[in-house]
């Protein structure tokens, strides 16, 4: 239950709530003229502030509270909280920093000291509301506590009074049906499948239209082609993951790599030198074979054949020449043999060096093959991240392609299956549905008597779980609003009894527009009785003339009126105490 509502601006009119029926009245003043209006008194603004404090998203340019004059105001709400025994929870939220919510005491379940306020983000506050006010399980899809709160506190600005089931025009019937199924104790998980099917059908239609575009059609692709691409990329991802997991960073990797390159260049250079030396060795060996002593003996034979006798001096000179030539040949042969030996030594030396360098090169290559440099590991990780992103993109495209290729008949068949499952489940929950229907009919009969037929029909369709509250009428707006009143009261009581919803229900004065004063009186009396019986709180904003008419019709409501009494005084009569915007 709400207890106290206040603001940091002293002009704001604080509100103190109590159990049972709470009426916030907008009155006229003695100075009021025909041009004055109570539409700016702050009746709807009160509900907007309550929503703001209970986790509504805040868009400054769209919200009623987004006016510049309100920017520096903090609001605080004290309310009973299910997890606190005998102590109220204080919720504080600022229009200047709407994403920060301050709670006291700390209800987050953290190990922080409970002293002082606990600041939580908006999303965490919404999760706490889901957990404690609505007992929504962690594993939930298709239902929302914020959407449910819009049933317990309907907003005029969201057109929540257009119909009982939906609280804003863009809300799908499938989503509304899933939320109501949860509050009424039905199979909300089954009801939420309608929403999933509706989303799939909407996506299929959009993609089907988009594929007619030549560029977008290539982006989506065909599922058969994408499946092959996914398999290929997945293989690359697996290989890269194995490389990264087995990668070993080698210290001084660059130095080792440089040394390995130097060895390779040295071996190549020695091979070139070997080629030159082997050619030189061949030439030297050939030259040694061609080297021989000069033969001058044939001269004596030639002269003897001619009958010429050479003197001894000439013969001696021949011997000297022969000795000289023999010395030259001997020296050349020695030189050639020395050069050949040097070449052979160089070849042998390089071969030994090559063996040594080869062993060193093998060790370096083994080290380099077993690991790599840190930048190589980084490159591998970047490649892996790229392939993973590509894989995720392909999977998204694959899902989109599958959705696109799914035929309308397939979705239609699934809708029929959900409808049959929902129908079977409702049969099993027949007792619960009877209790809900009887409760709604009881409330409707309290307002209109037994002459009108009244019922709450719950039945599955192919698209959503249909809930149809009905009171027989001739399309009267006033009766339509009372249908909404009975429906909201039925949902609130049913949810509260099962600990699936809060113990309060708030209605704006717009709900009573066009309603006969007798029905207004009966509705407020009924709300008061139900709130007292169920241990709940019913809050309604109402204009003073409607209140007077209800009291004339026999309702005793003065004791339910709570301060402040709002007026149509232009400057300071409204809830905020000053005019803005």
């Amino acid at each position: 239950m709400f207890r106290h509502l206040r603001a940091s601006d002293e002009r704001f009119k604080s509100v103190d709530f109590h159990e049972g029926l709470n009426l916030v009245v907008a009155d006229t003043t003695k100075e009021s003229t025909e041009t004055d209006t109570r539409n700016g008194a702050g009746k709807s603004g009160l509900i907007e502030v309550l929503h703001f404090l209970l986790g509504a998203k805040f868009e400054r340019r769209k919200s009623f509270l987004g006016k510049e004059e309100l920017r520096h105001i903090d609001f605080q709400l004290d309310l009973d909280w299910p997890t606190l025994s005998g102590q109220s929870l204080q919720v504080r939220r600022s229009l200047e920093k709407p994403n920060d919510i301050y709670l006291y005491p700390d209800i987050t379940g953290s190990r922080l000291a409970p002293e002082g306020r606990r600041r939580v983000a908006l999303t965490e506050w919404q999760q706490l509301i889901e957990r404690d006010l609505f007992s929504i399980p962690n594993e939930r899809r298709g239902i929302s506590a914020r959407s449910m709160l819009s049933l317990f506190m309907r907003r005029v600005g969201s057109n929540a009074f257009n119909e009982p089931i939906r609280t804003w025009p863009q809300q799908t019937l499938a989503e509304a049906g899933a939320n109501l199924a949860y509050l009424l104790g039905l199979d909300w998980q089954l009801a939420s499948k309608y929403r999933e099917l509706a989303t799939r059908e909407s996506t299929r239609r959009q993609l089907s239209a988009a594929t007619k575009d030549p560029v977008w059609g290539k982006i989506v692709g065909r599922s058969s082609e994408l499946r092959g691409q996914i398999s290929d990329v997945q293989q690359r991802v697996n290989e890269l993951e194995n490389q990264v997991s087995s990668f070993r960073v080698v210290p001084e990797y660059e130095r080792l790599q440089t040394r390995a390159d130097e060895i390779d260049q040295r071996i190549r250079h020695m091979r070139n030198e070997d080629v030159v030396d082997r050619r030189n060795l061949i030439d030297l060996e050939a030259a040694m074979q061609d080297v021989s002593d000069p033969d001058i003996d044939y001269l004596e034979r030639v002269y003897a054949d001619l009958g010429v006798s050479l003197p001894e001096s000439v013969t001696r000179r021949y011997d000297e020449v022969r000795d000289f030539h023999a010395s030259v040949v001997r020296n050349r042969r020695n030189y050639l043999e020395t050069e050949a030996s040097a070449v052979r030594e160089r070849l042998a030396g390089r071969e030994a060096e090559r063996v040594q360098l080869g062993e060193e090169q093998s060790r370096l290559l083994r080290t380099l093959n077993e690991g790599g440099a840190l930048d190589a590991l980084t490159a591998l990780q970047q490649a892996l991240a790229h392939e993973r992103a590509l894989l995720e993109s392909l999977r998204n495209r694959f899902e989109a392609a599958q959705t696109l290729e799914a035929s309308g008949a397939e979705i239609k068949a699934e809708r029929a299956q959900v409808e049959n499952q929902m129908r079977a489940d409702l049969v099993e929950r027949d007792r619960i549905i009877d209790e809900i229907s009887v409760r709604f009919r009881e409330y409707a009969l309290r307002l209109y008597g037994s002459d009108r037929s009244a019922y709450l029909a719950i039945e599955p369709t192919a698209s959503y779980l249909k809930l149809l509250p009905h009171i027989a009428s001739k399309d009267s707006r006033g009766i339509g609003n009372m249908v909404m009143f009975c429906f909201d009261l039925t949902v609130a009581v049913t949810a509260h009894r099962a600990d699936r919803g809060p113990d309060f229900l708030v209605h704006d004065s717009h709900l009573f527009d066009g309603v006969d004063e007798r029905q207004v009186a009966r509705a407020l009396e009924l709300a008061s009785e139900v709130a007292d019986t169920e241990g709940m709180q019913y809050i309604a904003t109402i204009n003073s003339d409607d209140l007077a008419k209800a009291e004339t019709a026999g309702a005793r409501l003065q004791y339910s009126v709570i301060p402040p009494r709002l007026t149509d005084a232009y400057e300071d009569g409204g809830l905020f105490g000053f005019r803005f915007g």
Side-chain angles (χ1 to χ4, degrees):
M1 296 185 189
F2 301 142
R3 294 300 179 182
H4 308 287
L5 175 65
R6 57 180 61 87
S8 58
D9 193 312
E10 294 180 354
R11 293 170 292 180
F12 184 84
K13 295 177 173 61
S14 299
V15 185
D16 292 330
F17 302 98
H18 55 69
E19 298 179 2
L21 177 63
N22 294 253
L23 297 178
V24 180
V25 180
D27 206 348
T28 58
T29 62
K30 295 180 180 179
E31 293 78 17
S32 299
T33 65
E34 293 182 356
T35 59
D36 290 323
T37 175
R38 285 167 292 187
N39 289 339
K43 303 187 300 296
S44 299
L46 172 65
I47 298 176
E48 290 293 336
V49 172
L50 292 175
H51 266 286
F52 178 73
L53 286 163
L54 289 179
K57 291 183 179 179
F58 180 67
E59 298 183 40
R60 192 171 300 279
R61 287 184 290 182
K62 297 181 180 180
S63 173
F64 160 79
L65 298 174
K67 304 295 186 294
E68 185 62 28
E69 299 90 330
L70 304 178
R71 178 183 288 270
H72 301 291
I73 296 181
D74 296 352
F75 295 102
Q76 179 175 310
L77 175 65
D78 297 355
L79 72 162
D80 297 342
W81 198 255
T83 60
L84 298 177
S85 178
Q87 182 181 6
S88 296
L89 174 67
Q90 295 179 2
V91 182
R92 192 175 186 87
R93 189 179 183 189
S94 167
L95 290 169
E96 191 168 19
K97 297 181 178 179
N99 290 326
D100 293 338
I101 290 85
Y102 292 88
L103 306 176
Y104 178 81
D106 184 4
I107 59 170
T108 62
S110 69
R111 297 181 179 180
L112 297 179
E115 290 79 7
R117 295 182 182 274
R118 172 72 188 278
R119 180 176 63 85
V120 298
L122 177 60
T123 53
E124 185 177 359
W125 175 225
Q126 292 171 342
Q127 292 169 358
L128 291 171
I129 291 174
E130 289 184 344
R131 184 194 72 183
D132 295 344
L133 284 189
F134 291 92
S135 303
I136 296 178
N138 292 331
E139 298 296 328
R140 85 309 178 253
R141 292 189 305 173
I143 59 175
S144 164
R146 280 298 316 158
S147 296
M148 295 178 193
L149 275 174
S150 295
L151 283 165
F152 288 83
M153 300 187 298
R154 292 180 182 266
R155 290 188 282 186
V156 175
S158 300
N159 299 311
F161 292 95
N162 290 355
E163 58 176 296
I165 305 303
R166 294 188 291 188
T167 53
W168 66 90
Q170 294 76 23
Q171 186 181 28
T172 65
L173 289 171
E175 178 186 358
N179 287 326
L180 287 168
Y182 178 81
L183 294 171
L184 296 175
L186 306 178
D187 191 338
W188 58 273
Q189 293 175 313
L190 189 57
S192 66
K193 290 184 179 180
Y194 283 119
R195 184 182 182 184
E196 297 174 6
L197 290 172
T199 302
R200 284 177 54 191
E201 177 63 22
S202 175
T203 303
R204 190 189 71 84
R205 290 178 178 177
Q206 293 175 9
L207 288 175
S208 180
T211 52
K212 297 178 182 178
D213 181 270
V215 176
W216 179 248
K218 293 180 180 179
I219 293 175
V220 176
R222 299 179 61 84
S223 62
S224 57
E225 297 173 355
L226 291 170
R227 185 180 287 107
Q229 295 178 32
I230 289 173
S231 177
D232 181 55
V233 175
Q234 181 67 65
Q235 182 64 27
R236 294 204 299 270
V237 168
N238 293 340
E239 292 175 354
L240 286 171
E241 286 177 343
N242 290 334
Q243 291 180 38
V244 170
S245 62
S246 60
F247 194 91
R248 183 172 62 86
V249 177
V250 177
E252 300 183 349
Y253 181 91
E254 289 76 10
R255 186 185 64 80
L256 298 179
Q257 182 67 56
T258 301
R259 176 57 181 162
D261 293 340
E262 291 174 353
I263 292 174
D264 183 68
Q265 293 176 3
R266 175 58 181 159
I267 291 175
R268 291 175 183 272
H269 183 68
M270 286 191 296
R271 286 173 179 168
N272 293 333
E273 290 179 336
D274 283 354
V275 170
V276 174
D277 279 346
R278 286 193 179 96
R279 288 177 180 174
N280 291 337
L281 182 61
I282 293 174
D283 293 339
L284 289 171
E285 290 176 345
M288 284 189 294
Q289 291 177 359
D290 292 338
V291 174
S292 61
D293 294 332
D295 185 10
I296 60 173
D297 293 337
Y298 72 94
L299 292 175
E300 294 181 358
R301 291 194 301 271
V302 170
Y303 280 102
D305 293 339
L306 293 177
V308 179
S309 298
L310 295 176
E312 182 180 353
S313 60
V314 173
T315 303
R316 188 170 55 254
R317 293 294 300 271
Y318 284 154
D319 293 338
E320 292 176 354
V321 171
R322 183 170 55 225
D323 292 340
F324 171 76
H325 279 285
S327 174
V328 170
V329 170
R330 190 167 49 254
N331 291 337
R332 177 164 178 77
R333 181 178 290 111
N334 291 336
Y335 169 77
L336 292 174
E337 288 179 353
T338 301
E339 288 297 316
S341 297
V343 170
R344 293 188 187 96
E345 288 178 2
R346 288 200 300 270
L347 288 172
R350 281 197 294 268
E351 178 65 23
E353 183 181 359
R354 201 162 36 242
V355 171
Q356 181 181 359
L357 291 176
E359 293 175 353
E360 182 181 357
Q361 186 183 44
S362 297
R363 289 195 301 271
L364 290 174
L365 292 178
R366 282 197 301 271
T367 302
L368 294 174
N369 289 333
E370 290 174 356
L374 184 59
D375 57 353
L377 176 60
T378 303
L380 274 178
Q381 292 171 333
Q382 291 175 347
L384 177 58
H386 173 75
E387 294 297 331
R388 282 175 173 170
L390 177 59
L391 180 62
E392 183 65 22
S393 174
L394 288 172
R395 284 173 174 168
N396 291 335
R397 290 174 59 194
F398 179 72
E399 292 178 3
Q402 279 190 319
T403 303
L404 175 60
E405 295 168 5
S407 65
E410 178 184 343
I411 296 179
K412 184 178 180 180
E414 291 187 38
R415 288 184 183 277
Q417 181 181 10
V418 173
E419 180 182 357
N420 291 333
Q421 292 174 343
M422 196 81 235
R423 195 177 302 279
D425 181 74
L426 292 180
V427 171
E428 295 180 0
R429 301 175 192 264
D430 187 63
R431 183 182 59 82
I432 296 176
I433 296 175
D434 283 346
E435 291 178 359
I436 297 170
S437 300
V438 168
R439 187 170 297 124
F440 175 82
R441 185 173 184 275
E442 176 188 342
Y443 296 159
L445 294 182
R446 285 286 302 274
L447 301 186
Y448 292 100
S450 58
D451 293 339
R452 296 180 187 267
S453 64
Y455 57 83
L456 174 57
I458 303 176
E459 61 177 334
T461 70
S463 302
Y464 61 95
L465 178 62
K466 182 178 180 180
L467 293 96
L468 180 62
H470 173 78
I471 299 177
S473 67
K474 296 180 179 179
D475 297 327
S476 166
R477 176 188 175 188
I479 294 181
N481 284 355
M482 288 299 95
V483 169
M484 190 178 304
F485 169 83
C486 294
F487 180 74
D488 288 354
L489 195 60
T490 300
V491 173
V493 170
T494 304
H496 179 248
R497 287 186 177 182
D499 293 327
R500 291 174 176 265
D503 56 359
F504 56 80
L505 177 63
V506 183
H507 277 147
D508 188 273
S509 61
H510 287 77
L511 182 69
F512 304 109
D513 290 347
V515 180
D516 186 275
E517 59 267 19
R518 292 170 295 178
Q519 274 67 52
V520 173
R522 293 172 184 171
L524 294 177
E525 286 180 334
L526 174 62
S528 179
E529 292 178 15
V530 171
D532 291 340
T533 303
E534 301 291 337
M536 296 178 65
Q537 183 182 59
Y538 181 82
I539 302 171
T541 63
I542 189 169
N543 291 327
S544 57
D545 51 354
D546 290 331
L547 177 63
K549 292 177 183 178
E551 290 182 325
T552 301
R556 298 179 180 180
L557 302 172
Q558 284 298 327
Y559 292 105
S560 299
V561 177
I562 61 174
R565 201 172 181 105
L566 308 178
T567 72
D568 59 359
Y570 185 78
E571 291 298 333
D572 59 358
L575 176 68
F576 290 85
F578 64 97
R579 290 284 169 171
F580 53 89

